[in-house]
Amino acid sequence: MSKIIKCYYCGKVIETENQLVEKKIPMATKVGIRNYRRKFHMNCLPKYLEGRADKSLLTKENNDWNAVYNYFRKELLGLGETKSLDTHTVRRLTGLRLGQYYPNGQNVRILPRGYDFKTILLTMKVVKPKVNMYVSNTNFSNSKHRTDGIMRFITGEINDVSQRIEQQNKASEKLMKDKDIPSFDYKAKLKEKKQEQGNTVQNDINNLFGGQL
């Protein structure tokens, strides 16, 4: 393919036309929901549609987003619950979900790229002391300047946080697998084997002599 085309779902390059499939995707815009044609790997489209159809998965990600939104507003900006985040801040946070500056006309839910909202939230908690000090000692020209300054702390730490979470998850998976593997007691197995052999010999003797010995 002469033009580089990336899959809407995984974000990786679609190498050949045989791998390419297009699908109209509903997108939230300022004037309501509009359908836009997006390009996918052939094997990625079913995964995307399955994720979109999983209401519990969507609900979970929406709840994680709410936690990110509220933490940034209260703990990093010091705003009350009646205050809303400005558009720029929301776009920076949702862009980070995809590993980008802004989401640029993409839904941010169910896509397996960038950083999930739980990782973003944990990173914000890690950098909170530094951010609070930075906000207290800096004169910002506007809210955009303040948000971008805070985001530098988050983007500077999020790769490390993501790697630590991945390592922890792998360790947990290994632990669970180890628990599922029964331990092998050599001595007990040997004793069991000898008993089986002894019982077999005794049965043969009984069968031969009619149990008279």
Side-chain angles (χ1 to χ4, degrees), residues 16-18 37 57-58 63 65-66 77 100 132-133 136 141 152 154 182 184 189 194-195 203-204:
T16 66
E17 291 186 1
N18 291 336
R37 190 174 294 277
L57 190 61
L58 285 170
N63 290 339
W65 160 246
N66 289 336
L77 295 181
Q100 300 173 180
N132 290 159
M133 184 177 296
S136 299
S141 57
R152 281 196 293 271
I154 297 172
F184 183 81
K189 196 67 179 177
K194 287 182 177 179
Q195 288 177 341
N203 289 338
D204 290 343

Side-chain angles (χ1 to χ4, degrees), residues 50-82:
E50 183 180 353
R52 293 288 300 176
D54 190 337
K55 300 302 181 183
S56 63
L57 190 61
L58 285 170
T59 298
K60 180 180 180 300
E61 190 157 10
N62 287 334
N63 290 339
D64 291 342
W65 160 246
N66 289 336
V68 166
Y69 183 101
N70 291 327
Y71 192 91
F72 194 97
R73 177 183 61 186
K74 180 181 179 181
E75 302 297 334
L76 301 188
L77 295 181
L79 300 178
E81 293 183 2
T82 58

Side-chain angles (χ1 to χ4, degrees), residues 31-111:
V31 294
I33 303 296
R34 296 288 183 87
N35 288 319
Y36 291 91
R37 190 174 294 277
R38 294 291 181 257
K39 295 177 174 61
F40 296 82
H41 284 111
M42 186 175 292
N43 62 331
C44 285
L45 179 57
K47 298 175 185 177
Y48 175 78
L49 296 177
E50 183 180 353
R52 293 288 300 176
D54 190 337
K55 300 302 181 183
S56 63
L57 190 61
L58 285 170
T59 298
K60 180 180 180 300
E61 190 157 10
N62 287 334
N63 290 339
D64 291 342
W65 160 246
N66 289 336
V68 166
Y69 183 101
N70 291 327
Y71 192 91
F72 194 97
R73 177 183 61 186
K74 180 181 179 181
E75 302 297 334
L76 301 188
L77 295 181
L79 300 178
E81 293 183 2
T82 58
K83 302 290 185 178
S84 298
L85 295 180
D86 59 76
T87 302
H88 174 69
T89 302
V90 171
R91 295 185 72 188
R92 285 302 313 270
L93 290 172
T94 52
L96 188 58
R97 168 63 181 81
L98 299 178
Q100 300 173 180
Y101 186 84
Y102 276 170
N104 294 330
Q106 302 179 79
N107 289 324
V108 300
R109 306 295 193 271
I110 316 302
L111 301 179

Side-chain angles (χ1 to χ4, degrees), residues 51 77 91 106 116 122 125 149 174 186 196 203-204:
L77 295 181
R91 295 185 72 188
Q106 302 179 79
D116 61 57
L122 184 56
K125 292 180 178 181
K174 184 179 184 302
Y186 175 78
E196 289 178 355
N203 289 338
D204 290 343

Side-chain angles (χ1 to χ4, degrees), residues 109-207:
R109 306 295 193 271
I110 316 302
L111 301 179
R113 47 192 170 97
Y115 308 96
D116 61 57
F117 288 128
K118 281 193 171 182
T119 300
I120 296 172
L121 178 62
L122 184 56
T123 305
M124 290 195 296
K125 292 180 178 181
V126 169
V127 302
K128 180 179 183 292
K130 293 181 181 179
V131 168
N132 290 159
M133 184 177 296
Y134 167 74
V135 170
S136 299
N137 295 285
T138 305
N139 292 321
F140 300 103
S141 57
N142 51 44
S143 60
K144 181 178 182 296
H145 179 202
R146 179 178 59 182
T147 292
D148 287 345
I150 294 173
M151 291 301 294
R152 281 196 293 271
F153 287 92
I154 297 172
T155 56
E157 290 286 346
I158 196 165
N159 279 335
D160 182 64
V161 172
S162 179
Q163 290 173 3
R164 289 175 182 272
I165 292 174
E166 185 177 351
Q167 290 171 358
Q168 187 179 55
N169 289 339
K170 287 182 178 179
S172 297
E173 289 176 3
K174 184 179 184 302
L175 181 62
M176 293 303 296
K177 288 180 179 179
D178 290 344
K179 286 183 178 179
D180 292 337
I181 299 174
S183 58
F184 183 81
D185 189 335
Y186 175 78
K187 291 183 178 180
K189 196 67 179 177
L190 182 60
K191 182 177 180 182
E192 180 182 338
K193 184 69 175 177
K194 287 182 177 179
Q195 288 177 341
E196 289 178 355
Q197 292 175 343
N199 290 337
T200 300
V201 172
Q202 187 60 47
N203 289 338
D204 290 343
I205 293 174
N206 289 338
N207 290 333

